[in-house]
Amino acid sequence: MVHTPRSARRGALLVSTAAVLGLLAGCGNGNGNGEDVRSDPPAGSAGTAAPARETPSPSASAPAASSAPARTASPAPPRTTAPSAGTTAAPATPAGGPRCHTSELRASVGRNDPGAGQENFPLVLTNASGRTCTLRGYPGAAFVDASGGQLGADPRRTPGTPVTVTVRPGQSAWAGLTFSNPQVSGARSATPAGLLVTPPDERDALRVAWSGGPVPVSGTASSVRLTALSPGTGP
């Protein structure tokens, strides 16, 4: 067993004690007596202020919100069917067929049915075409001389309710032509050569030879009266 001299052991103990004291001095904030002299800094010191809280910034990967309003799809316009080129809407056709035109008719004057100083003639329009058509209202009428000049005024319309007369091929409609006998009324008279008859709503007239004798053309009781068309050829 090896024995260390006492002087050597004492020196080592001193060295160890000094080292521990040095470590304690380095760890403390002493005032030379080994006491801790740490104190709180004054209020408002920048060195003790807590760090400001940072507001987190939006993630770089998140897309920025758009300020423009969202676009909405416009509703599709209603579909319409365009008319075919070159086509036109057909005019409305009255019940019973289209109107009779002058070129489709034949005019005649029926037999006189006199009574109480009155002369009464049926004025007849007959369908001479191959189709059915209609007549409604009052025909036009005018007495004319041999040169075509009108004799007297246009006939007056007798009040009544016009009806639509459907005339098939060969069928007729009639209107009453009435006037006072000039020899009874004393009106100035003339003997016409013909009678012009214009179908309702037409411009062209049909000429009929007149064989009914004198008619009043001016003066007292010289008016000629005309009724609306009715089915048939007369009373």
Side-chain angles (χ1 to χ4, degrees):
M1 180 175 178
V2 180
H3 295 276
T4 303
R6 182 177 295 179
S7 59
R9 289 198 301 269
R10 184 177 296 176
L13 180 58
L14 293 174
V15 171
S16 298
T17 301
V20 172
L21 293 175
L23 290 172
L24 292 174
C27 293
N29 219 355
N31 57 0
N33 295 322
E35 296 177 355
D36 189 359
V37 294
R38 187 182 306 169
S39 61
D40 293 334
S45 172
T48 61
R53 179 177 297 176
E54 296 182 358
T55 302
S57 59
S59 173
S61 60
S66 173
S67 60
R71 178 178 297 178
T72 58
S74 299
R79 296 181 60 184
T80 57
T81 303
S84 302
T87 61
T88 56
T93 300
R99 186 182 81 242
C100 298
H101 300 294
T102 302
S103 59
E104 300 173 309
L105 300 171
R106 181 179 69 252
S108 60
V109 177
R111 186 181 60 181
N112 184 20
D113 183 19
Q118 296 289 316
E119 310 296 333
N120 304 296
F121 293 89
L123 193 161
V124 181
L125 291 172
T126 302
N127 185 356
S129 73
R131 72 182 183 105
T132 299
C133 57
T134 59
L135 294 166
R136 180 183 178 86
Y138 296 83
F143 292 109
V144 294
D145 57 21
S147 61
Q150 183 169 341
L151 299 173
D154 292 337
R156 295 181 179 182
R157 293 179 175 181
T158 301
T161 303
V163 296
T164 299
V165 182
T166 300
V167 284
R168 294 181 175 86
Q171 292 183 339
S172 304
W174 71 281
L177 183 70
T178 302
F179 54 87
S180 297
N181 188 311
Q183 295 178 357
V184 175
S185 66
R188 190 171 72 88
S189 64
T191 301
L195 175 68
L196 297 181
V197 181
T198 306
D201 301 317
E202 292 290 306
R203 293 181 178 275
D204 297 330
L206 299 168
R207 180 168 176 143
V208 183
W210 179 257
S211 58
V215 298
V217 294
S218 64
T220 304
S222 61
S223 295
V224 178
R225 295 174 298 279
L226 195 63
T227 66
L229 287 165
S230 299
T233 58

